[in-house]
Amino acid sequence: MTARPADRARYDRATAHLDAPLAIVDLAAFDTNADDLVRRAAGKPVRVASKSVRCRALLERVLARDGFEGVMSYTLAESLWLARSGFEDVLLAYPSADRAGYAELTADPKLASAVTVMIDDPAQLALIDAARDGGREVVRVCLELDTSLRLFGGRVRVGARRSPLHSPAEVADLARAVAGRPGFRVVGIMAYEGHVAGVGDAVAGRPLRSRAVRLMQAAARRELAERRAAVVAAVRAVVPDLEFVNGGGTGSVQHTVAEDAVTEVAAGSGLYVPRLFDNYTSFRGRPAALFAQPVVRRPGLGVVTVLGGGYPASGAAGADRLPEPYLPEGLRYDSQEGAGEVQTPLLGSPADDLLIGDKVWFRHAKAGELCERFDELHLVEGDAVTATVPTYRGEGRTFL
């Protein structure tokens, strides 16, 4: 039996006592993927991106492994919750306008020592000060650098629209603004090269596009390595005791850590390996997180209908944002219906071997967004569920 049919048999046996819809994490695959991230990080610590995991038990599992240090969170409310839950190093990856959260942060020494917030504009400092409500704790601050590749005098931009800070002088100016403002301390720099870490360079059936992506990414890596080093030097001239320089993501780990200026790399999606990571030449992971939908209808030859399944991922709308019917192999969506809110028809010859109540296994397009659909994850070892743990949603935490 080849790998995918063998996995399907294991997952069906492990969850035979459970009704679908349900979600699982294959712990052997999860741990193998974690080991691969550490290998690619080549001795530099990996900060785990919580938005790609969204399960406290699995965050704790990966942070217990050598090579992982700290969490990269996605909202201030989540950051405070994690810090109160015992996570001691939480970097908030996005600026926040959560005034109540800032009041909590600045009033609690434990939270203020555990959480680092992200800024790219002096106005964000003013918002935090206005939210203090008497809180006097010093706020740990990370400065975000725009990593976009700008070509033809800036007329062409490649990369996410995040920070407005592009040059070393701009980042250093903000560092000076923070240093001159009581109640704040610069401790880090973050630069997420999403156009390298988050864009596949081997898209099936699109060789010219894939070649163009590889050329773009090579140019982007060269440009950013030089500029990031200059930014770090400029900020260290203002803040000699800078604690960390964070960069990268699952798709760029080995390239990002090769830069001397980078002290740590972020990654999270590489633990679950959703379908968007099938389009990379830089690494090959094992799909670890899947969800199952039950067959509830057999409308005709070569067709089954499963309950639900319309779980699109964020980003530019397109077929690549839909979950992938994964097991059994050979199923596909009906182009007229796609993935449905309540039911999803699936076409292909494997449908004729499926019975009412059988499970069809899917991979989500992205990683942690799967956990917004399920209250719990069943952890599979071999052909058995050995634990069931709550997702953020299962703990009543839906931060975004």
Side-chain angles (χ1 to χ4, degrees), residues 11-23:
Y11 301 151
D12 283 347
R13 286 195 299 271
T15 62
H17 61 297
L18 299 171
D19 288 332
L22 60 83

Side-chain angles (χ1 to χ4, degrees), residues 155-177:
R155 292 189 297 276
V156 175
R157 172 195 175 113
V158 181
R161 296 183 181 276
R162 293 175 62 114
S163 170
L165 307 175
H166 192 78
S167 71
E170 289 170 331
V171 185
D173 284 347
L174 184 55
R176 277 187 284 271

Side-chain angles (χ1 to χ4, degrees), residues 20 48 73 112 151 208 213 228 237 274 284 314 335 341 362 369-370 387:
V48 61
S73 59
L151 305 170
L208 294 180
V213 168
R228 181 155 39 197
R284 285 285 182 270
S314 60
S335 61
E341 177 187 9
F362 293 77
E369 292 181 21
L370 166 66

Side-chain angles (χ1 to χ4, degrees), residues 142-163:
C142 181
L143 311 178
E144 182 169 3
L145 168 67
D146 169 39
T147 64
S148 65
L149 176 64
R150 298 182 181 180
L151 305 170
F152 307 109
R155 292 189 297 276
V156 175
R157 172 195 175 113
V158 181
R161 296 183 181 276
R162 293 175 62 114
S163 170

Side-chain angles (χ1 to χ4, degrees), residues 19-22 292-297 305-308 355 357-360:
D19 288 332
L22 60 83
Q293 304 295 116
V295 174
V296 292
R297 286 177 171 166
T305 302
V306 298
L307 184 70
L355 304 177
D358 283 353
K359 295 180 176 78
V360 175

Side-chain angles (χ1 to χ4, degrees), residues 21 51 61 111 113 137-138 141 145 150 192 200 215 221-222 226 232 257 260 266 272 278-279 301 340 364 381 386:
K51 78 177 183 65
R61 182 183 183 92
L111 297 180
S113 67
E137 295 299 322
V138 173
V141 168
L145 168 67
R150 298 182 181 180
Y192 172 58
L215 291 172
R221 288 196 301 267
R222 289 192 298 269
E226 181 177 338
V232 172
V257 298
D260 292 338
Y272 287 170
D278 290 347
N279 300 327
L301 191 65
H364 204 277
E381 296 185 76
T386 57

